[in-house]
Amino acid sequence: GLVAATPALADPESLQFGQAAEIPSNGGAISYTVSNLQPSGHNDGIWYSDVTARAVSGSPTPNISDFNARAVNSSTYADMKGNQTDGLPNQPIAPGSQATGRIYFDVRGGTAPDSVVYRDAGGTDKVVWKG
């Protein structure tokens, strides 16, 4: 009989802050560039990262809820949902256009994050940006 090898789980793509990663999205594909992970400066445990989302194909909508901040001890912090005035828009991006904004993370009482992770709906890490 035939023996089929089961595919190994792929390690997530590892990038430096400022590098772009293309990710399939609802309505097309988006090239995300993540940079500048830092505390908000208000001593409130809120961190943010600057994100540029460029429509590679179609009119995709950024999946903001798929972004997480992660600390070296593997603590993972979800994005904060809300309509921050400087937040990455959660609406379709016109073909060939881009949107920029911040994604905020609630790190209150946790270990300072050193990376931003894009996880798909199934909880699989797809891309990790580090400093």
Side-chain angles (χ1 to χ4, degrees):
L2 294 174
V3 177
T6 56
L9 288 176
D11 285 334
E13 186 176 359
S14 185
L15 299 174
Q16 293 292 311
F17 284 124
Q19 291 183 299
E22 186 175 323
I23 299 174
S25 187
N26 201 4
I30 297 178
S31 174
Y32 289 106
T33 304
V34 176
S35 60
N36 202 25
L37 177 64
Q38 64 182 333
S40 69
H42 300 292
N43 288 330
D44 56 4
I46 307 302
W47 286 60
Y48 70 85
S49 196
D50 294 318
V51 179
T52 298
R54 184 176 55 83
V56 176
S57 64
S59 294
T61 299
N63 294 326
I64 295 169
S65 62
D66 289 346
F67 286 92
N68 298 270
R70 185 167 295 150
V72 69
N73 68 356
S74 297
S75 293
T76 301
Y77 309 100
D79 71 293
M80 294 178 64
K81 296 171 184 56
N83 293 317
Q84 292 89 358
T85 55
D86 60 353
L88 182 66
N90 191 14
Q91 56 197 24
I93 303 170
S97 297
Q98 68 181 30
T100 59
R102 290 180 171 166
I103 295 179
Y104 289 85
F105 307 100
D106 185 350
V107 184
R108 283 179 279 209
T111 302
D114 67 347
S115 60
V116 174
V117 180
Y118 186 95
R119 302 175 87 180
D120 66 14
T124 302
D125 292 356
K126 293 297 185 184
V127 183
V128 178
W129 287 270
K130 288 190 172 199

